[in-house]
Amino acid sequence: MGLVEGKVAIITGAGANIGEACAKMLAKNGASVVVADINMDGAERVAGEINASGSTAIARTVNLAEEASIAALVKAVMARFGRIDILHNNAANTGAAQMTRDASLAEMDAEVWDAAFDINTRGTMLMTKHVAPHMAAGGGGSIINTSSGVSLLGDILNPAYSSSKAAVNALTRNTAAQFGRANIRCNAILPGLVLSPVARAQMTDTQLAMIQRHVLLPRESVADDIAGAVLWLASDLGSFATGQIISIDGGICHHQAHYADMLDMFAGAQG
Ligand SMILES: NC(=O)c1ccc[n+]([C@@H]2O[C@H](COP(=O)([O-])OP(=O)(O)OC[C@H]3O[C@@H](n4cnc5c(N)ncnc54)[C@H](O)[C@@H]3O)[C@@H](O)[C@H]2O)c1
């Protein structure tokens, strides 16, 4: 028996990278998976690979900026499967066109700010709004919101993105509070840097080395690090965890600012 055997899961942004890994992890562990993405080619590829491996998936298009599109997705999933047990709000507005313009607050284009909140925060809220009543009717479920480590910290880049993800943290706690008595859990996962092709393309080698210096564990993060945490929260193993904001980041957001310099100073002390 898989850890999520017989459950139905929607994963947004599952047509690539972290969402793809999470969809495959849930499917491998017994869930019927809805691979939802604005990129239908990606969604169909991922669903096809899951089905070819002997698990169950369907691909569905959704644009998280449009409530009607979200409502249509949820209606189609209910028509196909009759229940929704797991919702993973993974999609975000992370394209280069958005992220490169999300830089200086002094020059912030309000459209860039809104485009971050529209997908990352409002889209997550609307998915929750449309899915939670079905979960409640089915006896409960698990909602997992993908936030980001940058939601906890200040930086010189991407203030719209990090603010929208900080709002996801607050939304997570409010969702847990509002739906807890319906046996719906809601938790957020905060990745550090997972080197998807999209993330890697936006980063120089120097930037990457600077970031890696602050990861406490001696390797880079991979998408399956996030998928493992999603599986735990989606399954009954995580059945008393709700309202939690959980970093899966190799400790990058959880050490003293002087850590890397101290490590150099005391080189060898950690073996
Ligand atoms: N990769 C990282 O290092 C990292 C770090 C921290 C947090 N995260 C978060 O993890 C999640 C996944 O990140 P990723 O690196 O795999 O991102 P990605 O850009 O590779 O994938 C995001 C997916 O969301 C989809 N999407 C974008 N806009 C959409 C919309 N309007 N409607 C529906 N789908 C839409 C895209 O088509 C894409 O498939 C995101 O929430 C991201 O903010 C990623």
Side-chain angles (χ1 to χ4, degrees), residues 199-217:
R200 183 66 185 93
Q202 292 171 23
M203 187 167 293
T204 65
D205 290 347
T206 309
Q207 277 175 312
L208 177 59
M210 262 167 17
I211 292 168
Q212 237 4 81
R213 251 182 117 218
H214 282 274
V215 177
L216 304 185
L217 296 173

Side-chain angles (χ1 to χ4, degrees), residues 213-246:
R213 251 182 117 218
H214 282 274
V215 177
L216 304 185
L217 296 173
R219 68 167 173 87
E220 291 173 2
S221 179
V222 294
D224 267 351
D225 295 328
I226 309 307
V230 166
L231 176 62
W232 172 65
L233 287 170
S235 76
D236 289 345
L237 290 179
S239 66
F240 211 57
T242 197
Q244 302 305 306
I245 309 297
I246 303 168

Side-chain angles (χ1 to χ4, degrees), residues 85 136 153 233:
D85 305 285
L153 304 163
L233 287 170

